[in-house]
Amino acid sequence: MRQTSLALALASGFAIPAYAETLPEFVSETIVVTPTRFEEPAPATPGNLVVITRQDIERTPATSVPDLLAGIVGTTVIPLYGSLGIDSAVSLRGAGSGGTATSNTLVLLNGQRLNPIDSGSIDWSLIPLTSIERIEVMPGSGTVLYGDRSSGGVINIITKKTADTRYASVGVGSHGMRELSLQAGGATGGIDSSLYFQYGASDGWRTNSDQRRYALGGRINFLNEHDVHGFVDLAAFDEKLGFPGGLWRAEYLADPAQSRHPGDRSDRNGFRIRPGVMVNLSENVALDTDLVLSRDERSGFSDATNPVEQTRDLSRDFISFSPKLKIKHRLGGFSNHATVGYDYFRGTADSRTSPTGFQSYTQNASQTSHALYAQNIMALTERLAWTLGMRVQRQRQSAEQSAYTTYYGAPQPALSGHSVDTREAYETGMTYRTGDWKLYGRLGTSFRFPNTDELYGLDPITWDPVFAIGLKPQHGIVYEVGATKKMTRGSVSLSVYQQNLKDEITSDPNGGNMNVGKTRRLGSELSAKLNITDTLHGNVGVTLEDAQIRAGAYAGREMPLVPGVQASAGLSWNASPDAVYAARLNHVGKRRYGDDYGNDAGYLSSYTTLDLVASWRIRDWKIDAKILNAADRRYAAYAGYGFNSGTFTNDTFYYPADGRTFGVAARYDFR
């Protein structure tokens, strides 16, 4: 392990006795967990944390978690198919070019990672909107506390932990949309529990874009009078959906609702179990630990309109264990607040691909990770706090593929390999609070290991499959300054950042993956929440970002799929205690096409969408009416650039977004 003076300073800073003293608090009393991995009011960490509250969720027209995140400053959401958001990709600060988004932005459910070990999508079906208490969005690297996959930032979805919500909801909408949601709960003695069920289905706007989803989950809490809190979270899902695929430019312009692959399908199911315990060991020390077990299975079929008709069966298993301590102590006469923890996870991805009429082959990959991390917040004065953190993570990866003969009759040799790598991350920052102001600055490093899909490469001469041992982990440094001002009728935040990455892992336009020597992202984020009157509330967000390649064959080019401008605005009106009307405007600026690292295809057009919602409360009933994409804007949130075998030329291809859709839902709350 590399030793540095900063590492030694950090180590000495954490080897200290426990001592109680209150740190200075900002005026906000919102309880958050992401900045320190422990629930507490407004910790003095350097950074801008965006919190989507339950009230915010109730006012939004969003129908899924990705749709809800689309209005958050610094967030890019790429929905591929349908309104259920099943295959949506979410990234922060331009991290990830389409297929690598889930490898650069970490999504957590109650503090535990949802990102799979491969390039697959997040299982958003595990998180019905109605089960969410709040969402915390932390743009910028979260590598010190959360490790691999968090170069762009962290999204932490916090679900409700009490059994006091009981309701039944039913909804219908455009394109055969139908939804049913139920939640119940109860308590006896020191135990309370809650259970939810959700069904959603749509015939889809495009041909072969139908979707059907079931989700079931719940929580059991165990409480006693000795400062011990145990719990078990449970979730399971089952999905069936069509894959209409992308459309080449001429097809997209002629009829964006058509499908190039009318027979492509996918069936998915999975479960997740998370037991945990929180213990106050003393007045100054708290222990929080949990274990996660999950499994999901996916079966996909590609029809004869593809180069190869085939089926692919994939199973993924994941286990993690994350004990951590919160310690209040004194050092050098200053009060301190430290988080110290250990993260372990192991994941496997096993698949069997069977081309119709040809030889099948298997792939088996695994990741095993061990990490130690520490973060310390020192109150230098009543208003000034210094944050220091470090992480060491060691990851072992392996991949193997069986030998087989392709449908062209060419023999493909077997592939097998493994790699072991250790990386470190550091962060330091200052936070100054005075009155209603918070000012901060920070400097940190980040890293990301290749995911298991990226381990499979091709020999550039023979085109035989090889273990991608030449694919290096990406690493970088981020600089950020910002300020937040609390006002009587709202708040405003501004941050300016620069992230420099080396060996950024991206898709290779020629197949497989590659390291881009150097990239730089320079941006600013402005957000504001305003209570214009007692009944009129608004919010606005603007992100400006310049993402460039600074070294290698593509030096001087813009990074694909990173908009130069993103903006959102929302307005809600409480017309009466029982009636709320809201509108949301979302703008995504022009950006380079996916995989167009040479910037040869021009720009993918910008788009602006308008969503509307009206809610009425009638005794124990709540009625919601929504119009999404009210202006019926034709656009593609994702589009790429590649070789069109039909025309034997390079061409752009598009994944069309849904047009105007309507929906209405009725919910009954049981007292």
Side-chain angles (χ1 to χ4, degrees), residues 51-167:
V51 180
I52 307 172
T53 66
R54 183 68 226 172
Q55 187 178 44
D56 295 330
I57 296 172
E58 294 284 353
R59 290 173 176 170
T60 180
T63 58
S64 66
V65 173
D67 191 29
L68 180 65
L69 292 169
I72 303 303
V73 66
T75 306
T76 301
V77 177
I78 300 177
L80 293 183
Y81 310 116
S83 56
L84 297 183
I86 290 177
D87 268 321
S88 295
V90 179
S91 65
L92 294 172
R93 291 190 172 174
S97 175
T100 63
T102 57
S103 295
N104 286 279
T105 296
L106 188 64
V107 179
L108 308 173
L109 178 60
N110 295 316
Q112 291 299 321
R113 60 178 57 216
L114 287 179
N115 301 58
I117 65 170
D118 58 13
S119 297
S121 58
I122 302 292
D123 290 323
W124 300 109
S125 294
L126 291 168
I127 325 161
L129 277 183
T130 50
S131 71
I132 298 174
E133 177 182 295
R134 69 183 185 276
I135 300 177
E136 300 172 9
V137 181
M138 189 171 72
S141 172
T143 306
V144 165
L145 281 182
Y146 296 99
D148 186 34
R149 305 292 186 95
S150 58
S151 297
V154 178
I155 299 169
N156 197 0
I157 302 164
I158 312 298
T159 57
K160 298 175 183 177
K161 298 178 175 61
T162 60
D164 58 359
T165 302
R166 294 176 290 276
Y167 70 87

Side-chain angles (χ1 to χ4, degrees), residues 112 273-277 289-293 319-322 344:
Q112 291 299 321
I273 302 173
R274 177 185 172 237
V277 63
T289 185
D290 53 21
L291 176 73
V292 174
L293 301 169
I319 181 172
S320 70
F321 177 58
S322 303
Y344 165 83

Side-chain angles (χ1 to χ4, degrees), residues 208-229:
N208 192 37
S209 65
D210 59 290
Q211 300 179 341
R212 191 270 293 151
R213 172 184 65 200
Y214 292 98
L216 179 69
R219 182 182 177 95
I220 304 173
N221 289 307
F222 305 91
L223 305 169
N224 66 28
E225 66 276 13
H226 300 296
D227 294 324
V228 178
H229 174 205

